[in-house]
Amino acid sequence: MSFKFRKKLNQLIFDETEFELIKEKHYSDKNLSKSDFDLYVLAEPTDDGNGPMFFNPEYGILNLNNGWEMDLIYLKSGRKTEFVKELNKTLKEKTFYNNVYN
């Protein structure tokens, strides 16, 4: 997988697909990163496109939903299964429509 961050535009690129920042400091977990994670969504949404992603420059990409019900969590060190399940649940709640756009 190829991710790029265009700092001047505050834009993420995943496999040539552009994501735009929609909410700064939307998620925080000091066990993962000292910095808060910003929320990015597809710049041009499509029906089967990728879901929202959390990112901060210190940590990098935290999660990716590929639009086909496959969620990926990127962790820097091994974590227990229960932690990963809880993190995935929390991220889904934070990206639910009402939380994202309101």
Side-chain angles (χ1 to χ4, degrees), residues 12-52:
L12 283 174
I13 308 293
F14 169 59
D15 287 338
E16 305 305 318
T17 304
E18 297 177 2
F19 284 75
E20 64 186 4
L21 173 69
I22 62 163
K23 201 160 197 178
E24 291 182 342
K25 301 180 181 181
H26 190 56
Y27 178 69
S28 175
D29 186 330
K30 298 306 177 196
N31 293 315
L32 296 172
S33 175
K34 294 176 187 173
S35 301
D36 295 335
F37 290 89
D38 297 335
L39 184 60
Y40 289 79
V41 296
L42 283 172
E44 295 183 28
T46 60
D47 289 338
D48 61 350
N50 291 300

Side-chain angles (χ1 to χ4, degrees), residues 68-84:
W68 297 337
E69 310 234 359
M70 180 187 240
D71 297 314
L72 304 172
I73 307 273
Y74 298 96
L75 299 174
K76 295 202 182 260
S77 61
R79 298 287 182 150
K80 294 186 177 185
T81 303
E82 197 55 42
F83 174 81
V84 175

